[in-house]
Amino acid sequence: MATRIEQRSPAAQPVDAAPARIAGVWCPVLTPVDQDLRPEALRFVAHARWLLDEGCHGLVVFGTTGEANSFSVEERIVFLEAVLDAGLPRDRMLVGTGCCALSDTVRLTSHALSLGITGVLALPPFYYKNLSDEALFHSFDEVIQRVANTSFALYLYHFPSLSGVPITPGLLERLGAAYPDILAGVKDSSGDWNNTRMLIERFPGLAIFPGAETLLLPALQAGGAGCISASCNVNARQIRKLYDDFETGGDGLEPAQDELTAVRKVLQLRPMIPVMKHLIADKRGDPAWRGVVPPFRSLPDAEASALEMELSALGWRIGQT
Amino acid sequence: MATRIEQRSPAAQPVDAAPARIAGVWCPVLTPVDQDLRPEALRFVAHARWLLDEGCHGLVVFGTTGEANSFSVEERIVFLEAVLDAGLPRDRMLVGTGCCALSDTVRLTSHALSLGITGVLALPPFYYKNLSDEALFHSFDEVIQRVANTSFALYLYHFPSLSGVPITPGLLERLGAAYPDILAGVKDSSGDWNNTRMLIERFPGLAIFPGAETLLLPALQAGGAGCISASCNVNARQIRKLYDDFETGGDGLEPAQDELTAVRKVLQLRPMIPVMKHLIADKRGDPAWRGVVPPFRSLPDAEASALEMELSALGWRIGQT
């Protein structure tokens, strides 16, 4: 490519115009599917509106919970256009765009930005493993250069147990130095508090989100931005309440965290995507919500019964309060 | 889907018409790229013809070595049509078609079969991890049902260190029982001889290939089918010679295996794809061959010099003999 987007030179002054940092309780939204296992926009939009009503600050379209990588690029493009046409707020949305193939990542990122989306959450290319910081920097650099748009916020997605390709501090330092106006934050789905704390302490300019609400309170206390958690699909109101209570200096934070954690532990006893789709199908009286794309399977009836018993033992149900 | 492809019922008689089993020395062919990092057919075809001349029994298009997952589905489709139009032999070719997204795997598999390809090598869906045999069976079953073609041979690709999703004996048993006319073999890139031997012993009806020539002799001695190895891109003639010597009861098998292994160990000291593209660029006097798709980087000059010294210390060079 002839013209490169300008990287920040080491001698340049810091700018005030850092990318918009998001904060709060963000939901990686489940993706309902139709009978042909294609993503289905109408059910998604209704669910997403409910999530915003329940208190989510924002939505992630096509994260891990949204079965992003189980859909083709074409399916993702058609779907995103449909949900935006339906009026979901662009400024309360991140879109997952990181694929194995460079050209797919570039295409999805460019497409999202062309629709007015200003923040993306990107997995690293995740087929090849044991990549150096240099290799990963080069990969993200190539994506940014090809997207050729400096007006967006890039959130990196650290999910080593699924992607097998960690987002390291060395990568963040290098990418943040080269693109301080673009690199905006990290979703840390390691589940490892030591890693989340290290990121918060070492990168105060980035919005650091643990990938589950089990770490919401410690993250907020350490200076983290909130959480981006699958459980928001079914427990947003309670998660938001803890966030607000922390912000306003309310009481009972630890017991509230313990309650959130207890519910989460039940939700994740079984594959969470089928579990949460089952709960939403039940709540809405809409069995089509139970559909999942292989390799997932809908929650078997026996498992569903056990789940419901465990949740009611906690006195919890979806959309309570 | 209304009509299902017939699975073999447990009571059915075994059939004679098992899928065509391939055997021998198969090369997962490197994919050259153009300046825009798209797969480039002309250089590929010339290299592939040379590999057949050097003794490869067949070619794998879009394996791990071919950077398959670094290209979009569209790029893969256009490329496969171009290399077949150029006259590469369909009956000496497997095509890699396994993606994270079910719809992508179905599309690539259907496309390859529509062009007269009769064998595919499929990764399992590899984003989500810790999948049960049931989940993986369901996933491959769904692909076969959607492809709706019973005239092809399915080879499964076991590469746990990259895919993170192993091909287990339980999966092979279940898939082989349901689709004995389709399931044809396994490429075992675990690098674990105990696993390869177990597969050979336990699945005598399947063609089992270790994923590197370092295990060629023991695999042949145990009843394996040959090997499907990246190194064939630069060392096919010697690998084929060991295969032929074994088949004809020749002498000096162990020393020949040791020589192959010594070369392989040098080739894999650094990322093998950039290493082999460098060697081919040198041999052909064609620097464009050095191009790789991120996250890979072309071999740095200092590394290239070290590589060349190490290889000449073994008295080896590409395309010798």
Side-chain angles (χ1 to χ4, degrees):
Chain A
M1 285 166 295
T3 322
R4 280 184 61 85
I5 294 218
E6 198 183 350
Q7 288 186 19
R8 178 64 43 82
S9 83
Q13 296 300 311
V15 281
D16 299 325
R21 299 282 185 275
I22 61 169
V25 173
W26 283 63
C27 183
V29 188
L30 290 161
T31 310
V33 293
D34 66 19
Q35 286 192 312
D36 281 332
L37 304 180
R38 284 180 299 228
E40 202 277 290
L42 280 182
R43 285 184 174 84
F44 179 94
V45 170
H47 179 54
R49 288 194 202 287
W50 178 71
L51 292 171
L52 293 172
D53 288 345
E54 287 284 291
C56 290
H57 292 93
L59 311 168
V60 179
V61 183
F62 287 133
T64 297
T65 303
E67 295 171 87
N69 294 308
S70 298
F71 300 114
S72 73
V73 165
E74 210 63 46
E75 287 169 334
R76 290 164 72 162
I77 283 176
V78 168
F79 179 82
L80 182 61
E81 291 177 6
V83 305
L84 290 177
D85 284 349
L88 286 184
R90 286 164 171 71
D91 59 342
R92 297 175 69 182
M93 195 182 286
L94 294 182
V95 178
T97 61
C99 301
C100 292
L102 176 76
S103 51
D104 286 343
T105 303
V106 169
R107 186 169 171 214
L108 287 176
T109 304
S110 297
H111 174 257
L113 301 186
S114 77
L115 297 177
I117 297 291
T118 59
V120 303
L121 176 62
L123 281 165
F126 58 86
Y127 182 66
Y128 298 103
K129 304 299 194 282
N130 301 312
L131 303 172
S132 65
D133 288 349
E134 161 75 19
L136 280 177
F137 172 79
H138 169 58
S139 189
F140 283 112
D141 178 50
E142 191 74 29
V143 170
I144 293 169
Q145 292 297 323
R146 285 172 178 247
V147 167
N149 180 329
T150 54
S151 302
F152 76 103
L154 173 64
Y155 294 83
L156 298 190
Y157 194 176
H158 178 61
F159 204 160
S161 67
L162 289 191
S163 71
V165 179
I167 302 296
T168 62
L171 171 64
L172 291 170
E173 272 168 11
R174 188 143 179 208
L175 209 52
Y179 297 108
D181 305 341
I182 292 177
L183 183 66
V186 178
K187 177 182 181 192
D188 178 6
S189 293
S190 66
D192 173 1
W193 169 241
N194 288 328
N195 192 67
T196 306
R197 182 175 53 193
M198 177 277 293
L199 291 174
I200 292 170
E201 288 170 359
R202 194 153 156 187
F203 299 98
L206 299 182
I208 307 296
F209 293 85
E213 75 283 9
T214 46
L215 295 175
L216 176 57
L217 182 58
L220 292 172
Q221 288 166 335
C227 70
I228 303 177
S229 173
S231 339
C232 295
N233 280 283
V234 296
N235 206 21
R237 191 177 289 266
Q238 282 186 287
I239 298 171
R240 172 63 185 265
K241 182 168 186 317
L242 174 56
Y243 180 87
D244 285 347
D245 286 349
F246 175 83
E247 291 292 310
T248 58
D251 294 330
L253 301 178
E254 277 79 9
Q257 175 67 73
D258 290 346
E259 271 186 54
L260 292 182
T261 300
V263 173
R264 170 74 179 214
K265 282 188 174 165
V266 171
L267 293 174
Q268 68 187 23
L269 273 177
R270 301 169 184 85
M272 275 189 82
I273 295 169
V275 158
M276 295 191 301
K277 283 188 162 179
H278 169 82
L279 293 173
I280 293 167
D282 251 21
K283 175 189 162 59
R284 295 190 169 269
D286 179 2
W289 251 106
R290 298 185 71 210
V292 289
V293 185
F296 287 115
R297 309 229 49 183
S298 297
L299 197 66
D301 290 343
E303 297 287 302
S305 306
L307 170 73
E308 282 151 23
M309 285 179 55
E310 290 152 5
L311 288 172
S312 52
L314 293 174
W316 182 93
R317 62 182 173 77
I318 184 172
Q320 67 182 0
T321 69
Chain B
M1 284 167 296
T3 322
R4 280 185 59 87
I5 293 216
E6 197 184 352
Q7 288 186 20
R8 177 63 45 81
S9 83
Q13 295 302 309
V15 281
D16 298 326
R21 299 282 186 272
I22 61 168
V25 173
W26 283 63
C27 183
V29 188
L30 289 161
T31 309
V33 293
D34 66 19
Q35 286 192 312
D36 282 331
L37 305 180
R38 285 180 297 229
E40 203 278 290
L42 280 182
R43 284 185 175 84
F44 179 95
V45 170
H47 178 55
R49 287 194 201 288
W50 177 71
L51 292 172
L52 294 172
D53 289 345
E54 287 284 291
C56 290
H57 292 93
L59 310 168
V60 179
V61 182
F62 287 131
T64 297
T65 304
E67 295 171 85
N69 293 308
S70 298
F71 300 113
S72 72
V73 165
E74 210 62 46
E75 286 169 334
R76 289 163 75 162
I77 283 176
V78 168
F79 179 82
L80 181 61
E81 290 177 5
V83 305
L84 290 177
D85 283 349
L88 287 184
R90 286 163 171 73
D91 59 341
R92 297 175 69 182
M93 195 181 286
L94 294 182
V95 178
T97 60
C99 300
C100 292
L102 175 76
S103 51
D104 285 342
T105 303
V106 170
R107 185 168 173 216
L108 287 175
T109 305
S110 297
H111 175 256
L113 301 186
S114 76
L115 297 176
I117 298 290
T118 58
V120 303
L121 176 62
L123 281 165
F126 58 86
Y127 182 65
Y128 298 103
K129 305 298 195 284
N130 302 312
L131 303 172
S132 65
D133 288 350
E134 161 75 18
L136 280 176
F137 171 79
H138 169 58
S139 188
F140 283 112
D141 177 50
E142 190 74 30
V143 170
I144 293 168
Q145 291 298 324
R146 286 173 177 247
V147 165
N149 180 330
T150 54
S151 302
F152 75 103
L154 172 64
Y155 294 83
L156 298 190
Y157 194 176
H158 178 61
F159 203 161
S161 67
L162 289 191
S163 71
V165 180
I167 302 296
T168 63
L171 171 65
L172 292 169
E173 271 166 13
R174 187 142 180 211
L175 209 52
Y179 297 109
D181 304 342
I182 292 177
L183 183 65
V186 178
K187 177 182 180 190
D188 178 7
S189 292
S190 66
D192 173 1
W193 169 241
N194 288 328
N195 192 68
T196 305
R197 183 176 52 194
M198 176 276 292
L199 291 173
I200 293 169
E201 289 170 359
R202 195 154 156 186
F203 299 98
L206 298 182
I208 307 295
F209 294 85
E213 75 284 10
T214 45
L215 295 175
L216 176 56
L217 184 57
L220 292 172
Q221 288 166 334
C227 69
I228 302 177
S229 173
S231 340
C232 294
N233 281 281
V234 296
N235 206 21
R237 190 176 290 266
Q238 283 187 284
I239 298 171
R240 172 65 186 265
K241 183 170 187 313
L242 175 55
Y243 180 87
D244 286 347
D245 286 350
F246 174 83
E247 292 293 309
T248 58
D251 294 328
L253 301 178
E254 276 80 9
Q257 176 67 73
D258 291 345
E259 271 187 54
L260 291 182
T261 300
V263 173
R264 170 75 180 214
K265 283 188 172 165
V266 171
L267 294 174
Q268 69 188 23
L269 273 177
R270 302 168 184 85
M272 274 188 83
I273 295 169
V275 158
M276 294 191 302
K277 283 188 162 180
H278 168 83
L279 292 172
I280 293 166
D282 251 22
K283 176 189 161 60
R284 295 190 170 268
D286 179 2
W289 251 106
R290 299 185 70 212
V292 289
V293 184
F296 287 116
R297 309 229 48 183
S298 297
L299 197 67
D301 289 344
E303 296 287 302
S305 305
L307 169 74
E308 283 152 21
M309 285 179 55
E310 290 152 6
L311 288 172
S312 52
L314 293 175
W316 182 92
R317 62 183 172 77
I318 184 173
Q320 65 181 0
T321 68

